[in-house]
Amino acid sequence: MADRKLLLIGSVAAVAVLAAGGIFLAQSQGGDAFAQCRQSTVAGGMDSFGTEFTLTNQYGERVTDQQVFDKPSILYFGYTFCPDVCPLDSARNAEAAAILADRGLDAQTVFVTVDPARDTPDVVKDFVSVFPGDMIGLTGSDEEIAAINKGWRNYYKLNNEEDDEYYLVDHMTNSYLVMPGNQTVEFFSRDVSPEQMADRVGCFIDAAG
């Protein structure tokens, strides 16, 4: 009887230790459901990225962030006159989304221009139509584009002081994973391959349930 009582006490103690460990782990991860998926760290955390917006898509329709980010989205800031970087990055993002589709996971790609003066809805439409997967293209006024870039902490600078037609634009080249509800959870540098991006995005989609 005494042995049975000791066994029962030991079992209760073991359960308590496991529960405490689970609480500690949850607290150490800040209750982050995506903790096992994250590979990027930034000052202020990923929650510091993003903003509400209303922009114009490639069909001339005014759309909000909630309408755009209705599924996991790979977000990129660039411009259509970009000679090489933007097309290559956009193609990589589209390929990652295609890999995810082959795995039965639904994700989309979103392209936001940093050059609204030249990138009208029709121009953006021609650009995004080159890539598979129904890429969403967004443009807007100078103020709207400045605001969304500020929200995602994206630097850009138009070099149009001497030529207002064939100028280039300096800009950052990160892509961001935005979950439904406009929650930015990860970013990807240019050296991430389509397969690596698909693996990492897939982790977040699976974690979201």
Side-chain angles (χ1 to χ4, degrees), residues 82-198:
C82 183
D84 48 16
V85 172
C86 301
L88 289 174
D89 290 349
S90 297
R92 185 273 310 268
N93 294 352
E95 185 176 349
I99 293 171
L100 288 164
D102 289 340
R103 298 176 182 176
L105 299 175
D106 191 14
Q108 66 183 2
T109 52
V110 179
F111 174 88
V112 178
T113 183
V114 295
D115 183 22
R118 290 183 297 187
D119 286 345
T120 64
D122 285 341
V123 173
V124 171
K125 182 179 180 180
D126 288 341
F127 179 82
V128 299
S129 67
V130 174
F131 308 101
D134 296 324
M135 181 179 291
I136 296 173
L138 298 173
T139 187
S141 67
D142 290 341
E143 294 76 16
E144 290 168 343
I145 294 302
I148 188 174
N149 277 272
K150 182 179 179 181
W152 267 272
R153 296 160 62 174
N154 184 65
Y155 167 83
Y156 70 102
K157 181 180 183 299
L158 280 63
N159 300 301
N160 58 352
E161 296 85 1
E162 298 180 3
D163 187 340
D164 62 1
E165 186 174 3
Y166 298 108
Y167 58 88
L168 299 179
V169 182
D170 299 328
H171 65 96
M172 296 174 66
T173 57
N174 291 326
S175 295
Y176 304 88
L177 175 58
V178 185
M179 300 299 283
N182 196 353
Q183 178 189 13
T184 304
V185 294
E186 184 66 299
F187 75 88
F188 309 94
S189 60
R190 294 203 68 227
D191 60 356
V192 173
S193 70
E195 293 78 12
Q196 291 171 327
M197 178 179 281

Side-chain angles (χ1 to χ4, degrees), residues 23-94:
I23 292 171
F24 173 79
L25 182 61
Q27 289 176 340
S28 67
Q29 293 179 346
D32 184 0
F34 301 126
Q36 74 275 19
C37 303
R38 296 186 192 276
Q39 296 186 24
S40 305
T41 56
V42 292
M46 293 307 302
D47 288 344
S48 63
F49 287 83
T51 185
E52 297 178 354
F53 62 78
T54 300
L55 295 173
T56 304
N57 68 15
Q58 68 263 43
Y59 305 109
E61 302 165 337
R62 296 290 282 174
V63 291
T64 67
D65 55 293
Q66 296 298 318
Q67 291 172 309
V68 172
F69 299 130
D70 60 350
K71 65 177 67 177
S73 304
I74 302 170
L75 170 66
Y76 183 79
F77 296 88
Y79 66 111
T80 66
F81 193 69
C82 183
D84 48 16
V85 172
C86 301
L88 289 174
D89 290 349
S90 297
R92 185 273 310 268
N93 294 352

